[in-house]
Amino acid sequence: MARWEGNARGRLERAALDLFREQGYDGTTVVQITQRANLTERSFYRWFADKREVLFGDDDLEACYLPRIEAAPEGLGALPALLLAFASTPDVLRPRDFLLERAAVIAASPPLRERELIKMVTLSEKLVAALVRRGHDHQTASLAADVGSAVLRLATHRWLLGDDSDFSDLLATARRDLLDVAAEGPSTP
Amino acid sequence: MARWEGNARGRLERAALDLFREQGYDGTTVVQITQRANLTERSFYRWFADKREVLFGDDDLEACYLPRIEAAPEGLGALPALLLAFASTPDVLRPRDFLLERAAVIAASPPLRERELIKMVTLSEKLVAALVRRGHDHQTASLAADVGSAVLRLATHRWLLGDDSDFSDLLATARRDLLDVAAEGPSTP
């Protein structure tokens, strides 16, 4: 049952993304999505509040990161704790081709870009709260979330473009790249 | 004439902020704002598209930063060029008490928080584009904008809380704080 439902959700996501690309996000209805997926509207609303949430409905990243931050070894620094949690990102991401198509649909629609932003900021606020619960002061937690989000974005970008390195290594490289930029003196080297 | 108009705009902003605080953002109308400011609706719409834009209407930061990034000395690094431009931030900010009240109104309203986010991200994208025009590659420009935005946020926060240090010094301190967090090893010191 759970497995069938998982398939239904995946079929709805696939159908929605195909329709958004073929005829635009605005021109696509829930009925069209369910027809393409050969499922009922009732099945659609079991998973998603509306067609927008097909692109944003999963909270997998949050569910992946927060327990890992909580379980990080005591005494681990704020950013290292985040990067430890981020290392399992590829386990919860959708396949690359799906994510690239999703990114193209979102980039083409200002309201979807706004929704994506809100989602990222909401996640970032939860990361800050998780670090504060570990005993970090709010300023350190905020800076670590800012830096961590930038590092995660760059590592994910490289992963999406096909870099199959271990994700921990992608995070470590992105962190070094950020440090290079952040530490650069008044003149370019 | 220009001076009177400036006063009109300021009076509308002041009246709107007072009403938002007294009776909430949702419950306040443009008519109420103009009545409180003792001005006409026509005057209101000369400055603002709607009541929301009273809080977001100024593009002063962008107008302040972009020419300064463009005019930064050749060969200056990406982040140093941003920080040079950010140094003049207090010249264009509204008075502290106004900004603190504005921040409280925005924090209380999810749609206003979203609008604020969009504004910040739009600014950040323009910073990236300005750095790319200076010859930086897109990745360096993006990382510098991420780091620069975090540094600017922390410096502005301290300034808002009453720190009257030179803003360049606030930026330099915030940058050091960020570097400390970004460079921290696997264990807390």
Side-chain angles (χ1 to χ4, degrees):
Chain A
M1 179 69 181
R3 198 165 154 191
W4 180 87
E5 291 292 352
N7 283 343
R9 181 172 174 168
R11 277 159 62 195
L12 288 163
E13 289 181 353
R14 185 68 263 168
L17 202 48
D18 287 343
L19 287 165
F20 293 163
R21 291 179 68 213
E22 288 165 24
Q23 57 188 40
Y25 171 77
D26 289 333
T28 299
T29 65
V30 168
V31 170
Q32 289 172 334
I33 294 169
T34 57
Q35 284 172 346
R36 174 73 64 101
N38 206 16
L39 290 163
T40 62
E41 279 187 75
R42 186 172 159 182
S43 173
F44 181 93
Y45 289 110
R46 173 166 186 157
W47 291 105
F48 308 108
D50 53 44
K51 68 172 178 175
R52 191 182 71 170
E53 292 313 301
V54 181
L55 297 169
F56 298 103
D58 62 294
D59 282 318
D60 294 343
L61 286 178
E62 190 182 317
C64 168
Y65 298 152
L66 296 187
R68 285 179 166 81
I69 295 170
E70 198 174 341
E74 207 179 334
L76 194 67
L79 184 62
L82 288 184
L83 297 183
L84 184 67
F86 293 166
S88 38
T89 301
D91 300 347
V92 290
L93 288 184
R94 298 275 192 283
R96 278 188 181 114
D97 57 346
F98 183 90
L99 291 173
L100 288 168
E101 289 175 35
R102 175 183 175 278
V105 169
I106 291 174
S109 160
L112 292 179
R113 289 181 61 206
E114 296 191 3
R115 179 68 181 79
E116 174 84 339
L117 267 177
I118 307 304
K119 187 180 170 182
M120 280 161 32
V121 172
T122 306
L123 176 62
S124 181
E125 287 171 353
K126 289 182 177 167
L127 298 178
V128 171
L131 290 174
V132 168
R133 282 196 298 275
R134 281 177 62 80
H136 297 287
D137 63 89
H138 192 272
Q139 178 188 296
T140 300
S142 284
L143 286 172
D146 288 339
V147 169
S149 299
V151 166
L152 177 61
R153 195 156 49 238
L154 180 53
T156 304
H157 177 71
R158 287 169 175 166
W159 178 84
L160 273 175
L161 293 184
D163 191 329
D164 273 320
S165 311
D166 188 87
F167 204 72
S168 299
D169 294 336
L170 285 174
L171 288 166
T173 305
R175 182 192 189 177
R176 278 194 300 275
D177 291 337
L178 181 141
L179 273 169
D180 285 346
V181 168
E184 193 185 356
S187 299
T188 40
Chain B
M1 178 68 180
R3 195 165 157 191
W4 179 87
E5 291 292 352
N7 283 342
R9 181 173 176 168
R11 277 159 62 196
L12 288 164
E13 289 181 352
R14 184 68 262 168
L17 202 46
D18 288 343
L19 287 165
F20 293 162
R21 291 180 68 214
E22 289 165 23
Q23 58 189 38
Y25 170 78
D26 289 332
T28 299
T29 65
V30 168
V31 170
Q32 290 172 334
I33 294 170
T34 57
Q35 285 173 346
R36 175 72 65 99
N38 207 15
L39 289 164
T40 61
E41 279 187 75
R42 185 172 162 183
S43 173
F44 181 93
Y45 289 110
R46 173 168 185 155
W47 290 105
F48 308 107
D50 53 43
K51 69 172 177 176
R52 192 181 70 171
E53 292 313 300
V54 181
L55 296 170
F56 298 102
D58 62 294
D59 282 319
D60 294 343
L61 286 178
E62 189 182 318
C64 167
Y65 298 151
L66 296 188
R68 285 180 166 81
I69 295 170
E70 198 173 342
E74 206 178 334
L76 194 66
L79 184 63
L82 289 184
L83 298 183
L84 185 67
F86 293 166
S88 39
T89 302
D91 300 347
V92 291
L93 287 183
R94 298 276 192 283
R96 278 188 181 114
D97 58 346
F98 183 91
L99 291 174
L100 288 169
E101 289 175 35
R102 175 183 175 278
V105 169
I106 290 173
S109 160
L112 292 178
R113 289 181 61 206
E114 296 191 2
R115 179 68 180 80
E116 174 83 340
L117 268 176
I118 306 303
K119 186 180 170 181
M120 280 162 33
V121 172
T122 306
L123 175 62
S124 182
E125 287 172 351
K126 289 184 177 166
L127 298 178
V128 171
L131 290 174
V132 167
R133 282 197 297 275
R134 282 177 61 81
H136 297 286
D137 62 90
H138 192 271
Q139 178 188 298
T140 299
S142 283
L143 285 172
D146 287 339
V147 169
S149 298
V151 166
L152 176 62
R153 193 156 51 238
L154 179 54
T156 304
H157 177 71
R158 288 169 174 165
W159 179 84
L160 273 175
L161 293 183
D163 192 329
D164 273 320
S165 310
D166 188 88
F167 204 72
S168 298
D169 294 336
L170 285 174
L171 288 166
T173 304
R175 181 190 191 181
R176 278 195 299 276
D177 292 336
L178 181 141
L179 274 169
D180 285 346
V181 168
E184 193 185 355
S187 299
T188 40

